[in-house]
């Protein structure tokens, strides 16, 4: 059997239909196991058995559990992005739309606390070898925020604000999962940081 290109490698050729179907089964099995028992419940051998792939094949797609769970988070965010595009936030102001969007994302994760905890722990444990998967999570989060803002060509200042919003959202997830913040406090923090968007609005041309 020839080694298959890792999906996380930017230089890899596109996956074939069969490879993509296999990858989807792996991510689904990862999410199911994490939903039932969190980070510790995701064992690579069980993921391989649940997704009907050989253990060696699984490791060619995802070299470790951390790689797999970070990719699972990107996949979950991608599904959320699709849902948000079908039912976008209704507020007029960009800051309010982003806050509404991120709280909807937060509540989606809240419905699966074990899965959320597993994915966030994987992000926390990720080292440089997981950079491609972490970058995909960041790009997906950025795309969700920019869509809510209604921006296709953000300025450097707006992208900086988006990064700070991402950091705050991630930190809010961690503090909520550890029991150090309530949902109400998370909402206040998200709404507060989203006000940065108002400060980065380009000045009107005279």
């Amino acid at each position: 059997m020839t080694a298959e290109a890792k999906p996380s490698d930017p230089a890899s050729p596109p996956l074939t239909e069969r490879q993509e179907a296999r990858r989807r089964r792996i991510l689904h099995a990862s999410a199911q196991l994490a939903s039932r028992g969190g980070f510790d419940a995701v064992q690579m051998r069980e993921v391989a058995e649940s997704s009907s792939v050989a253990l060696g094949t699984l490791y060619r797609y995802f070299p470790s559990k951390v790689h797999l769970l970070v990719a699972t988070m990107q996949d979950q965010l991608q599904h959320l992005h699709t849902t948000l595009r079908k039912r976008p936030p209704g507020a007029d102001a960009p800051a309010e739309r982003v806050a509404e969007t991120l709280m909807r994302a937060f509540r989606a994760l809240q419905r699966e606390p074990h899965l959320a905890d597993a994915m966030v722990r994987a992000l926390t444990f990720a080292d440089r070898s997981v950079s491609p998967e972490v970058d995909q999570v960041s790009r997906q989060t950025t795309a969700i925020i920019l869509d809510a803002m209604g921006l296709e060509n953000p300025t450097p200042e707006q992208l900086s604000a988006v990064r700070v919003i991402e950091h705050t959202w991630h930190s809010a997830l961690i503090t909520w999962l550890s029991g150090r913040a309530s949902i109400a406090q998370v909402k206040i923090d998200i709404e507060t940081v989203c006000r940065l968007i108002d400060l980065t609005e380009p000045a009107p041309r005279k």
Side-chain angles (χ1 to χ4, degrees), residues 5-45:
K6 295 176 189 175
S8 61
D9 185 352
S12 298
L15 296 180
T16 65
E17 186 175 337
R18 184 178 177 184
Q19 289 171 334
E20 182 58 37
R22 185 180 295 131
R23 185 174 187 273
R24 298 238 37 91
R25 292 201 309 273
I26 292 169
L27 291 173
H28 178 72
S30 169
Q32 289 292 103
L33 288 168
S35 294
R36 291 199 289 267
F39 186 86
D40 293 335
V42 181
Q43 300 298 322
M44 296 296 271
R45 187 170 296 278

Side-chain angles (χ1 to χ4, degrees), residues 34-39 106-121 173 176-178:
S35 294
R36 291 199 289 267
F39 186 86
F106 186 86
R107 290 190 181 99
L109 292 171
Q110 185 187 4
R111 289 192 288 271
E112 297 280 2
H114 291 306
L115 173 59
D117 182 66
M119 295 187 300
V120 171
R121 283 178 67 182
L173 274 176
W176 171 72
L177 286 166
S178 64

Side-chain angles (χ1 to χ4, degrees), residues 83-101:
T83 301
L84 288 165
R85 281 175 166 167
K86 292 177 181 176
R87 190 168 60 90
D92 292 330
E96 293 176 5
R97 291 198 300 271
V98 172
E100 179 186 338
T101 294

Side-chain angles (χ1 to χ4, degrees), residues 27 30-31 67-77 115 119:
L27 291 173
S30 169
H67 286 80
L68 174 56
L69 282 169
V70 174
T72 301
M73 185 167 195
Q74 190 275 335
D75 187 59
Q76 294 290 313
L77 288 171
L115 173 59
M119 295 187 300

Side-chain angles (χ1 to χ4, degrees), residues 167-180:
H167 296 329
T168 303
W169 184 70
H170 181 234
S171 177
L173 274 176
I174 293 173
T175 54
W176 171 72
L177 286 166
S178 64
R180 292 183 288 118

